[in-house]
Amino acid sequence: MGKEKDDLKNYKEKRNTKKSGEPEAKKSKSDKNRFSFQKHDAQNLHYDFRLECDGVLKSWAIPKGPSTDTSEKRLAIRTEDHPVDYIHFEGKIPEGEYGAGPVLLWDKGTYKNITEKDDEIKDLKKAIEDGHFMVDLDGEKIKGGYAFTRTDKDEGQWLMVKMDDDKADARRNPTSTEPESVKSGKKIEDIDD
């Protein structure tokens, strides 16, 4: 993605929100420490992780979705910032529009920044820019600590790893066993226009 951007320019350039039905590109003054995972069946099925920070949603596409197993490293591809209003978006982006396909709100909740440096909590925006941060998620499906680490110089490739805490569970596979939306109760194939 190149250098971190705090604005929604890339989001706005890629979309016609009047046609797609997605929220308009506007920065918010609110920082409520919310997150969501959206299951998105575009060209390839993946999960979009959205993290509210500095008036926007910092975003990553995670092809296999989150894992609760500490031994699994999940690829997370940094995407453009999204407007905060996108955090609860669910619907079908029409053919011909960027990201065409159904989007399901798979999980939502709040997070706590647990990124430390010199025994103090590091600013989350700065930690993301520096390429490593940790958050404690409190969602309906996903809970506990997760570490994100950038693995390449152009800032696009990251790894998402479940931290070893009391929420870690190698036997659990929530992306398979809990496919329904936390908003509508629908499955991805039931999301329509």
Side-chain angles (χ1 to χ4, degrees):
M1 186 179 118
K3 190 173 183 298
E4 273 296 323
K5 295 192 180 228
D6 298 316
D7 63 21
L8 298 167
K9 181 180 176 193
N10 289 336
Y11 176 90
K12 191 173 188 177
E13 287 174 352
K14 292 180 176 184
R15 291 167 178 80
N16 179 339
T17 56
K18 295 200 184 328
K19 287 184 180 178
S20 72
E22 296 168 283
E24 289 187 37
K26 59 183 179 182
K27 196 165 177 177
S28 169
K29 292 182 180 167
S30 126
D31 262 330
K32 297 181 182 172
N33 288 6
R34 297 176 296 175
F35 79 90
S36 69
F37 283 99
Q38 290 160 318
K39 189 174 183 178
H40 187 184
D41 195 3
Q43 289 180 340
N44 296 301
L45 181 67
H46 64 279
Y47 291 76
D48 291 309
F49 177 60
R50 317 268 186 220
L51 193 68
E52 188 173 4
C53 175
D54 194 39
V56 297
L57 297 176
K58 301 296 184 184
S59 300
W60 290 261
I62 303 169
K64 293 184 178 181
S67 175
T68 57
D69 184 347
T70 60
S71 70
E72 291 189 14
K73 294 177 174 73
R74 294 292 169 98
L75 174 65
I77 302 161
R78 183 77 168 92
T79 62
E80 71 275 6
D81 291 346
H82 282 54
V84 170
D85 289 347
Y86 211 101
I87 200 155
H88 294 127
F89 177 74
E90 183 169 287
K92 189 168 186 179
I93 301 170
E95 288 298 321
E97 295 301 312
Y98 178 78
V103 177
L104 175 144
L105 183 60
W106 185 76
D107 194 18
K108 65 181 174 113
T110 58
Y111 74 89
K112 181 179 178 185
N113 175 17
I114 57 172
T115 313
E116 288 190 20
K117 184 174 182 181
D118 300 326
D119 294 324
E120 291 187 7
I121 296 297
K122 184 174 181 178
D123 177 72
L124 184 59
K125 180 182 169 193
K126 177 76 171 121
I128 293 170
E129 288 171 356
D130 290 346
H132 178 73
F133 69 95
M134 296 181 293
V135 287
D136 187 5
L137 303 178
D138 187 16
E140 294 182 33
K141 298 178 183 179
I142 299 297
K143 296 181 182 293
Y146 283 83
F148 288 76
T149 305
R150 190 173 56 231
T151 61
D152 67 354
K153 293 190 182 197
D154 76 359
E155 302 183 27
Q157 307 266 330
W158 294 63
L159 289 178
M160 175 188 187
V161 179
K162 175 73 189 88
M163 296 168 67
D164 191 6
D165 58 23
D166 64 346
K167 304 299 182 192
D169 186 349
R171 296 163 298 167
R172 191 170 166 238
N173 187 359
T175 56
S176 291
T177 61
E178 302 173 55
E180 297 84 8
S181 164
V182 295
K183 182 176 183 177
S184 66
K186 294 179 178 180
K187 292 185 178 178
I188 194 83
E189 59 269 17
D190 300 324
I191 300 292
D192 48 24
D193 301 320

